[in-house]
Amino acid sequence: MIKARGLTKYYGRRLAIDHLTFEAHKGEIVGFLGPNGAGKTTTMRILTGYMPPSDGDAWVAGYHVVDESLEVRRRVGYLPENVALYDDMTVWDYLRFMGQLRQVPDLDERIAEVLERVNLLERSESFIGSLSRGMRQRVGLAQAILHRPEVLILDEPTMGLDPAQRVEVRDLIREIGQEHTVMLSTHILSEAQELCDRVLIINEGRILAEDTPEELELRLRGAQRVRLQVSGPASAAELQTRLAALPGVLQVHAADAQHLEVELAPDAGRDLRPVLARAVLDAGYDLHEMCTVSLSLEDIFLQLIREEGASDQEAAAAEPSATTEAASSHPASEADEEA
């Protein structure tokens, strides 16, 4: 239902998205996960026909977003980050206006159906300006699904909502996702974990990883963490040093003298918990508790960012700069030296 190939966008000289390639299939809820400024909104604006890409191609419901832009818009429901609502219109009048623009058949019947679905039928005659932020967001969702789109694109749909409103909107998206292909962007990691069938992790305009939340966790579970509760000498520094020296241990963090967290290498290749337990006892400590800490999407995201930064630094160090090469191949003239 959504297909992007080498999607690239420049704002002047600034590269906003860098050759993005991904797909979203029918009936999926796909999360576009990344920090603010990662390129999520830019990508969604291209997919909905709001702006063209600088390079690459994208198709929505089988139609090219540039060459067949009107056909794409007929099949897409879009909830932007800041949805445009008219405060001096009632909820019903606003949806009637939007439905007339989209030439929705049997409009009054469809408006009633949509308002019941988003739990706003009782507020149909309320002015939009009098609604809470959560209700306004539901009005935005109502206009996005009014014309029965095949694809829903939601940009930060829970932005600015309180916890109760966030739960309401998430439940509604989950229900809508049973009938539509949904792509939503978020920088809230727990939201992607709860809502999405598949997650695209994006940073600085590039996709770092793509998989289900469960598979992303499994891929990086090798770099697991083991939490220990111990008792013994007043200071845990000696035990921390002993554990850090064990093969397969990356780091040891001590919260205090009794609580330690051990980070294990992804390629440790075996269960190191018996080795850790033996090392604790050999150091003269009692072991009260040992548990494996599963990685959250937040842990995975931060780890991917660290790996991306490390690979970029290695690539930069491996490539001699153009100025260095130029200086070595072209001796400076007297005028250059004087300058």
Side-chain angles (χ1 to χ4, degrees):
M1 297 301 290
I2 299 174
K3 183 165 67 172
R5 292 290 179 270
L7 212 56
T8 302
K9 181 66 179 180
Y10 282 91
Y11 292 112
R13 294 183 179 180
R14 187 177 74 82
L15 181 61
I17 56 173
D18 185 5
H19 295 87
L20 299 187
T21 296
F22 60 88
E23 293 181 358
H25 304 290
K26 188 172 183 178
E28 272 192 314
I29 300 179
V30 177
F32 221 33
L33 177 63
N36 293 328
K40 305 185 300 295
T41 295
T42 295
T43 305
M44 292 188 159
R45 287 176 177 169
I46 292 172
L47 293 175
T48 53
Y50 272 55
M51 65 170 66
S54 302
D55 196 11
D57 295 284
W59 296 263
V60 175
Y63 294 93
H64 195 276
V65 296
V66 176
D67 299 338
E68 301 167 295
S69 177
L70 288 179
E71 293 298 331
V72 169
R73 296 177 198 211
R74 288 188 179 99
R75 290 160 176 81
V76 169
Y78 180 39
L79 179 68
E81 185 176 349
N82 297 305
V83 60
L85 299 174
Y86 299 100
D87 289 349
D88 56 349
M89 297 179 76
T90 66
V91 173
W92 187 280
D93 288 341
Y94 170 72
L95 292 178
R96 168 168 275 280
F97 171 63
M98 298 301 291
Q100 288 171 340
L101 288 177
R102 291 187 174 275
Q103 301 177 346
V104 176
D106 303 319
L107 184 54
D108 287 346
E109 182 181 335
R110 177 59 180 166
I111 291 173
E113 181 183 330
V114 167
L115 285 176
E116 185 173 1
R117 184 162 195 182
V118 300
N119 198 24
L120 277 179
L121 193 56
E122 294 182 359
R123 301 299 300 268
S124 63
E125 297 303 320
S126 299
F127 285 98
I128 291 175
S130 70
L131 299 179
S132 68
R133 178 68 186 263
M135 288 185 178
R136 291 169 67 92
Q137 203 74 343
R138 280 190 269 168
V139 174
L141 278 170
Q143 67 80 25
I145 65 174
L146 184 63
H147 57 296
R148 298 181 176 88
E150 297 172 52
V151 176
L152 265 178
I153 295 181
L154 313 175
D155 192 3
E156 299 280 3
T158 62
M159 173 70 79
L161 303 184
D162 65 36
Q165 294 168 340
R166 196 171 289 149
V167 169
E168 288 179 6
V169 172
R170 285 177 184 171
D171 289 343
L172 181 57
I173 292 170
R174 198 177 289 112
E175 181 185 337
I176 291 171
Q178 296 174 2
E179 301 174 10
H180 304 266
T181 298
V182 179
M183 171 166 273
L184 63 91
S185 72
T186 181
H187 64 278
I188 303 171
L189 299 136
S190 59
E191 185 167 272
Q193 206 156 10
E194 289 178 24
L195 276 177
C196 299
D197 302 310
R198 195 155 47 88
V199 175
L200 307 174
I201 295 180
I202 182 174
N203 188 51
E204 296 181 352
R206 290 182 289 179
I207 292 177
L208 304 185
E210 175 183 355
D211 220 322
T212 64
E214 295 77 17
E215 287 300 319
L216 281 173
E217 184 179 339
L218 284 172
R219 280 169 57 184
L220 294 178
R221 186 173 282 171
Q224 62 182 272
R225 297 172 186 176
V226 177
R227 191 168 292 157
L228 308 174
Q229 182 181 352
V230 301
S231 66
S235 172
E238 182 184 349
L239 177 59
Q240 190 173 352
T241 302
R242 282 198 183 200
L243 295 179
L246 294 173
V249 173
L250 292 178
Q251 295 182 45
V252 180
H253 308 278
D256 52 45
Q258 293 186 326
H259 297 87
L260 299 142
E261 192 169 283
V262 182
E263 186 174 346
L264 305 178
D267 56 352
R270 59 195 179 103
D271 188 353
L272 292 180
R273 287 175 297 177
V275 177
L276 294 174
R278 197 173 303 113
V280 170
L281 298 175
D282 288 347
Y285 283 77
D286 293 324
L287 179 60
H288 297 280
E289 182 181 1
M290 174 185 290
C291 62
T292 301
V293 183
S294 61
L295 290 174
S296 66
L297 265 182
E298 183 170 5
D299 297 319
I300 293 169
F301 180 75
L302 293 174
Q303 185 167 328
L304 288 168
I305 295 296
R306 286 196 298 268
E307 290 174 359
E308 179 77 2
S311 63
D312 287 345
Q313 288 178 359
E314 289 173 3
E319 295 180 6
S321 68
T323 53
T324 303
E325 291 179 354
S328 61
S329 58
H330 298 288
S333 66
E334 292 181 3
D336 290 337
E337 289 174 355
E338 289 176 2

